[in-house]
Amino acid sequence: MNKRQKRMLARILLAAALLLALSFTSITGWMRFVLYLVPYLVIGYDILLKAFKGIKNRQVFDENFLMAVATVGAIALALYEQSGDYTEAIAVMLFYQVGEWFQSYAVGKSRRNISDLMDIRPDYANLERDGQLERLDPDEVEIGSVIVVQPGEKVPIDGVVLEGSSSLNTSALTGESLPRDVGEGDEIISGCINMTGLLKIKTTKEFGESTVSKILDLVENASSRKSKSEDFISKFARVYTPAVCYAALALAILPPLVRMLGLGLPADWGTWVYRALTFLVISCPCALVISIPLSFFAGIGGASKAGVLVKGSNYLETLSQTKIVVFDKTGTLTQGVFEVNGIHHSEMENSKLVEYAALAESASSHPISRSLQRAYGREIDRSRVTDIQEISGNGVIAKVDGVSVAVGNGKLMDRLEIPYIPCHSVGTIIHMAIDGKYAGHIVISDIVKPHAKQAIQALKESGIHKTVMLTGDAKRVADQVAETLGLDQVYSELLPAGKVEKVEELLQSRSEKEKLAFVGDGINDAPVLSRADIGIAMGAMGSDAAIEAADVVLMDDDPLKIAKAIKISRKCLRIVYQNIVFAIGVKLLCLALGAFGIANMWLAIFADVGVMILAVLNAIRALFVKNL
Ligand code: ADP
Ligand code: MG
């Protein structure tokens, strides 16, 4: 509880105690009015002030206005009728404030839960200077600095381990509870907690560009992207509140007029004004206005607890309607870590060929490039490489020691008009040309991710109509992967633009309600990620492009999380609809009862606070999605 909530609670208790004490007295007349005014003002002064400000700023119709008019009206009525029954107005205000208090407590709690679980913001980075550790603001650390992370500390900035080995707790980022072992040369992302050993890390990014900053930005901005349901609610409130105010006014004036002028009966103003005031209390749309954004917020929080970052509630909504899932192959369904299986038709020594390949690839961030560099295994002297040109979906061309080198697939060789020898092994074939002449090929192969098959299975079980794989890789490899995993369709040998075209085709041939998700690893997938209804990126080991272009980021690259994300989104949307139907249903029922004089203000306020509390509790369920 924060200070404001504590003060509010004190006001509630004080007003309740005063009201109770007054109910034992039997004072009448003006003295009674003045005495009852004390608890009323104690509990309601802020609402009255807000309502007054609203009127002054010409933003009249909000719930403060409803509450102020209803309670002031009830008190005025009691004065007019000389009944001395002020209790009702005060109780209405009291319960309204109990509801407000509960709501701010619940919202505060779920926000805190979310930020607890996103407790990844590092406070400092240790820099070693003259044998002393110096604590710096992570913002001040330059790229290429060596930072020291002691056991128990958070990794503040992305980098590569220079010295030491340890196991990392990545659960805040990925939802994965098993620790990850790292050693010299491993890439490391910020936000993990170093558990066992001392690590010296050479930073590869600035703090602002590091994973942890990116994620925090994402989560902080998520609530600004509103879903259709949320839009619906704010539009609804804008029309609804004035509508009920006018309806209440009509209820207060028309029936007495009709009675008086039309039927010749006594007007009975008191009854009808009272009914109109009850109508106003009932009409307060708080439960809706509060519970819908809270449900989405809790859904986003619950998803991030499972290692799935959703960038806005609109994406949560689209995700819940996803029926077609399109995958990229390399790095998405497969690990993107290629092993060299063979080298054929090379005139030079194999190691020399690999050296040329690794050097030419030195600037590429493609998984193939990283694998070739690993196969080379030595430090790369970048000064030997010039004129680097990467052609996505083809390969790279560069000059190594002044000699032109081409590394890529058959398409690249065709493009350079260099005849090449096709390979009969199944695998990804990297053809090489040196100085304009064919120089042999390197056969590399990748393995499917451990959960890939299970992931496709889980998607089908959750009611996905179609799973498709798009890849730039050779047909043979693609077909083999598709068959192992049980995908419905596969398209291979596509350039990045071809992938966009295929996605367009798929978008054409489905109905508007079947949303299409594209899942990629972000390397040259950005156009497809943004073209699909929803882009899901593998975010784990820090592909910036992925995190930026996608709408949903899977923190640990586990394709199984896609089905999980879809289930979470559906649960969240179910909760949202439950709340909408429940709140509007009860509201309409009470309004009808109020208009016919069956419901009094007591029932009205109980219904309102009750619905709100139930709706908020229901919303909070979205935070607990672990066991889906
Ligand atoms: P995927 O769709 O499987 O992720 P890409 O579109 O990234 O594949 O690449 C398709 C093909 O283009 C690769 O299988 C490879 O043959 C070739 N290629 C792309 N980039 C490179 C590179 N940097 N070096 C060598 N070959 C490359
Ligand atoms: Mg790819």
Side-chain angles (χ1 to χ4, degrees):
M1 241 191 279
N2 62 26
K3 258 200 190 136
R4 243 188 71 221
Q5 287 162 349
K6 276 191 194 142
R7 213 164 43 223
M8 192 70 226
L9 193 62
R11 277 171 62 196
I12 291 172
L13 293 176
L14 179 61
L18 283 174
L19 198 58
L20 191 69
L22 283 176
S23 71
F24 289 111
T25 62
S26 51
I27 306 164
T28 53
W30 282 104
M31 200 54 209
R32 184 181 171 87
F33 170 68
V34 172
L35 282 177
Y36 272 90
L37 212 50
V38 177
Y40 177 68
L41 290 179
V42 165
I43 196 67
Y45 75 90
D46 52 338
I47 303 284
L48 296 175
L49 274 178
K50 279 187 221 159
F52 182 69
K53 272 193 201 138
I55 296 170
K56 232 175 56 188
N57 298 334
R58 307 240 162 109
Q59 290 170 322
V60 180
F61 297 118
D62 61 0
E63 61 240 44
N64 296 312
F65 176 78
L66 292 180
M67 291 317 292
V69 172
T71 53
V72 169
I75 291 175
L77 203 62
L79 275 178
Y80 167 77
E81 292 183 336
Q82 298 186 336
S83 65
D85 186 7
Y86 310 111
T87 318
E88 199 168 28
I90 302 168
V92 163
M93 200 57 115
L94 189 66
F95 283 113
Y96 177 76
Q97 295 284 38
V98 169
E100 290 285 294
W101 178 84
F102 176 78
Q103 165 221 326
S104 98
Y105 183 71
V107 172
K109 204 165 172 71
S110 71
R111 269 186 205 270
R112 205 156 39 247
N113 260 340
I114 291 164
S115 52
D116 273 357
L117 107 205
M118 297 310 302
D119 183 22
I120 50 177
R121 187 188 296 285
D123 303 318
Y124 58 87
N126 297 318
L127 227 64
E128 200 177 47
R129 252 181 228 163
D130 311 325
Q132 295 284 325
L133 281 191
E134 198 186 332
R135 279 192 179 190
L136 282 185
D137 190 323
D139 252 335
E140 293 169 18
V141 178
E142 284 165 25
I143 299 185
S145 313
V146 177
I147 55 171
V148 178
V149 183
Q150 294 163 310
E153 291 181 331
K154 270 177 225 144
V155 177
I157 302 170
D158 296 359
V160 178
V161 179
L162 272 191
E163 229 183 278
S165 64
S166 177
S167 48
L168 297 181
N169 176 350
T170 61
S171 63
L173 295 173
T174 63
E176 174 60 66
S177 50
L178 283 181
R180 189 167 81 93
D181 291 324
V182 289
E184 235 166 86
D186 286 336
E187 280 180 28
I188 197 166
I189 52 172
S190 48
C192 310
I193 297 168
N194 181 10
M195 298 206 297
T196 51
L198 185 114
L199 292 174
K200 288 197 177 168
I201 298 170
K202 183 170 181 176
T203 63
T204 51
K205 284 182 187 152
E206 279 175 17
F207 177 62
E209 290 298 308
S210 285
T211 311
V212 73
S213 307
K214 292 252 157 89
I215 293 174
L216 288 168
D217 276 358
L218 275 184
V219 174
E220 275 155 23
N221 293 326
S223 52
S224 63
R225 295 183 215 219
K226 292 246 156 72
S227 70
K228 282 204 207 101
S229 316
E230 271 175 287
D231 264 357
F232 162 74
I233 294 305
S234 44
K235 279 193 201 122
F236 176 82
R238 234 176 290 145
V239 179
Y240 171 85
T241 316
V244 291
C245 287
Y246 290 121
L249 197 61
L251 195 60
I253 295 175
L254 293 183
L257 282 185
V258 170
R259 282 173 66 99
M260 206 161 54
L261 304 176
L263 308 172
L265 295 168
D268 198 6
W269 287 101
T271 306
W272 292 99
V273 169
Y274 178 81
R275 284 192 195 173
L277 294 173
T278 309
F279 191 85
L280 278 185
V281 177
I282 301 171
S283 68
C284 192
C286 334
L288 266 187
V289 172
I290 289 151
S291 75
I292 308 306
L294 189 65
S295 309
F296 279 115
F297 199 68
I300 291 175
S304 66
K305 225 195 294 197
V308 181
L309 288 182
V310 181
K311 287 195 189 172
S313 30
N314 52 338
Y315 303 123
L316 213 52
E317 196 167 21
T318 317
L319 202 57
S320 72
Q321 299 159 352
T322 298
K323 287 288 176 309
I324 304 169
V325 182
V326 183
F327 294 91
D328 169 55
K329 179 179 75 78
T330 315
T332 303
L333 289 172
T334 68
Q335 291 187 324
V337 181
F338 295 82
E339 298 289 335
V340 173
N341 288 351
I343 296 176
H344 307 152
H345 311 288
S346 171
E347 310 258 302
M348 59 180 72
E349 260 180 59
N350 287 352
S351 63
K352 194 78 191 150
L353 195 72
V354 173
E355 180 173 346
Y356 271 119
L359 281 164
E361 293 272 12
S362 61
S364 164
S365 57
H366 198 278
I368 291 180
S369 147
R370 272 190 258 156
S371 306
L372 288 171
Q373 290 178 41
R374 202 176 25 250
Y376 174 54
R378 278 191 279 158
E379 192 82 29
I380 285 185
D381 179 1
R382 284 172 179 250
S383 66
R384 291 172 60 192
V385 198
T386 55
D387 302 304
I388 300 175
Q389 205 189 337
E390 179 154 7
I391 306 165
S392 54
N394 283 259
V396 290
I397 312 173
K399 283 212 162 79
V400 177
D401 302 331
V403 180
S404 69
V405 176
V407 190
N409 52 19
K411 283 201 196 100
L412 183 72
M413 296 295 127
D414 290 340
R415 198 186 174 105
L416 300 172
E417 298 180 354
I418 296 170
Y420 61 92
I421 306 174
C423 183
H424 299 291
S425 340
V426 177
T428 301
I429 316 297
I430 305 299
H431 294 288
M432 304 244 339
I434 296 173
D435 203 11
K437 282 190 285 293
Y438 190 63
H441 52 241
I442 306 174
V443 185
I444 58 179
S445 69
D446 194 3
I447 50 171
V448 296
K449 288 188 184 168
H451 285 157
K453 194 180 169 125
Q454 217 180 321
I456 306 293
Q457 195 66 34
L459 283 175
K460 288 191 173 155
E461 277 162 19
S462 73
I464 296 297
H465 298 339
K466 198 168 12 174
T467 53
V468 184
M469 185 174 86
L470 305 180
T471 177
D473 210 344
K475 183 167 182 350
R476 255 206 285 177
V477 186
D479 288 348
Q480 194 197 26
V481 171
E483 191 172 7
T484 332
L485 299 182
L487 290 153
D488 298 326
Q489 286 175 11
V490 53
Y491 300 96
S492 50
E493 301 184 16
L494 295 168
L495 292 176
K499 291 187 188 175
V500 177
E501 251 167 57
K502 275 282 169 260
V503 166
E504 298 273 0
E505 270 172 39
L506 289 164
L507 284 171
Q508 291 286 319
S509 63
R510 56 95 204 239
S511 74
E512 188 54 35
K513 279 212 189 99
E514 301 176 298
K515 297 289 181 209
L516 180 147
F518 180 84
V519 194
D521 63 349
I523 294 164
N524 69 42
D525 291 332
V528 213
L529 280 171
S530 47
R531 185 62 195 89
D533 293 321
I534 190 152
I536 304 178
M538 301 288 153
M541 298 312 149
S543 148
D544 300 354
I547 298 194
E548 240 143 73
D551 309 318
V552 175
V553 181
L554 306 180
M555 287 314 298
D556 57 358
D557 290 7
D558 182 350
L560 201 53
K561 291 279 168 69
I562 303 164
K564 184 147 191 165
I566 291 179
K567 280 186 196 147
I568 291 172
S569 69
R570 287 190 190 151
K571 174 170 177 184
C572 180
L573 266 291
R574 232 176 7 250
I575 291 174
V576 167
Y577 291 131
Q578 281 164 5
N579 278 346
I580 291 181
V581 170
F582 176 58
I584 295 185
V586 173
K587 229 30 358 155
L588 290 180
L589 185 71
C590 288
L591 281 177
L593 292 179
F596 289 111
I598 302 170
N600 60 11
M601 243 183 235
W602 288 96
L603 179 78
I605 196 73
F606 274 122
D608 190 54
V609 174
V611 169
M612 191 180 77
I613 291 179
L614 288 179
V616 167
L617 286 178
N618 196 24
I620 288 178
R621 282 199 311 132
L623 198 57
F624 303 100
V625 284
K626 273 240 167 91
N627 311 323
L628 282 176

